[in-house]
Amino acid sequence: EVLLVESGGGLVQPGGSLRLSCEASGFTFNAYAMNWVRQAPGKGLEWVSYISSTGNTIYYADSVKGRFTVSRDNGNNSVSLQMESLRDEDTAIYYCAREAKDSGGWYGWFDPWGRGALVTVSS
Amino acid sequence: DIQMTQSPSTLSASVGDRVTITCRASETIGDWLAWYQQKPRNAPRILIYKASTLESGVPSTFSGSVSGTEFTLTITNLQPDDSATYYCLQYNTYPYTFGQGTNLEIK
């Protein structure tokens, strides 16, 4: 079974830091790009970051660029999101999501997703 | 960035009805669009990718289509279990962007 499990969420003060991790199992981790997507309470989905299968290509949403850093450890089947200078508006559930591929060679959408980790930025 | 304009934001329909949800892209994205279903306290679930390809295990009451930059998710024979929020996702170009969501209520 393909499984993604996030950890590291919690309560942090504005300006603080937090590191999220996502452990993957059930698939060949180093063959897949990974993404982080977040959802503020009662709001829609927002893509946050992408990291390629090798880690050589990385993208960020403008809203987190310069504050968040994504990385991966293919030896340990994990991807991380280091979050610095956190703001109230970063409060959200953060989902780890695999870039999907199908048997026809198409790829790009997100599937599966983890259950998410709640990050609350508040004083 | 590519903007995805999703409509309607809320929708109320009855069991057995047919409903459509639309996403319009601000520029051409080919057929690089996916549809997701999200229920409260759950992660999104993939329904359709590449505009019209049904994900394995998803009921055939769900279908997707595209005309230019307008994408449509159609749900036929609505069931109580279809009550959820639906999102489109364009994955043509980073930053990937989602529609604002459609909250579907079954009367």
Side-chain angles (χ1 to χ4, degrees), chain A residues 43-118:
Chain A
K43 302 297 184 183
L45 300 166
E46 179 189 16
W47 169 80
V48 172
S49 183
Y50 161 94
I51 184 167
S52 63
S53 59
T54 61
N56 288 342
T57 300
I58 286 172
Y59 303 123
Y60 299 101
D62 285 346
S63 58
V64 307
K65 202 173 294 182
R67 301 186 300 121
F68 288 13
T69 302
V70 65
S71 60
R72 65 188 294 157
D73 181 346
N74 284 346
N76 287 311
N77 293 347
S78 66
V79 59
S80 297
L81 187 68
Q82 178 68 39
M83 303 183 292
E84 308 280 352
S85 303
L86 283 162
R87 307 167 179 166
D88 290 351
E89 55 265 34
D90 295 318
T91 294
I93 296 173
Y94 285 74
Y95 294 102
C96 168
R98 188 185 73 173
E99 180 181 80
K101 302 179 192 178
D102 78 352
S103 56
W106 306 113
Y107 63 94
W109 61 101
F110 305 147
D111 184 58
W113 301 53
R115 296 177 63 92
L118 176 62

Side-chain angles (χ1 to χ4, degrees), chain A residues 5-51:
Chain A
V5 179
E6 300 92 340
S7 61
L11 174 64
V12 61
Q13 292 189 334
S17 302
L18 207 59
R19 185 179 183 88
L20 301 180
S21 294
C22 170
E23 292 203 16
S25 59
F27 64 99
T28 304
F29 183 71
N30 63 14
Y32 288 84
M34 299 294 295
N35 289 267
W36 289 94
V37 178
R38 69 184 180 182
Q39 186 169 36
K43 302 297 184 183
L45 300 166
E46 179 189 16
W47 169 80
V48 172
S49 183
Y50 161 94
I51 184 167

Side-chain angles (χ1 to χ4, degrees), chain B residues 33 35 48 50-54 62-66 71-74:
Chain B
L33 184 116
W35 289 99
I48 286 167
K50 207 169 176 294
S52 60
T53 302
L54 195 67
F62 291 88
S63 63
S65 63
V66 55
F71 298 81
T72 301
L73 173 69
T74 300

Side-chain angles (χ1 to χ4, degrees), chain B residues 6-13 17-23 35 63 65 70-76 78 86 102 104:
Chain B
Q6 184 172 342
S7 61
S9 56
T10 61
L11 187 53
S12 183
D17 280 357
R18 173 181 180 273
V19 297
T20 60
I21 298 168
T22 298
C23 268
W35 289 99
S63 63
S65 63
E70 185 168 293
F71 298 81
T72 301
L73 173 69
T74 300
I75 313 172
T76 58
L78 270 178
Y86 294 83
T102 296
L104 172 61

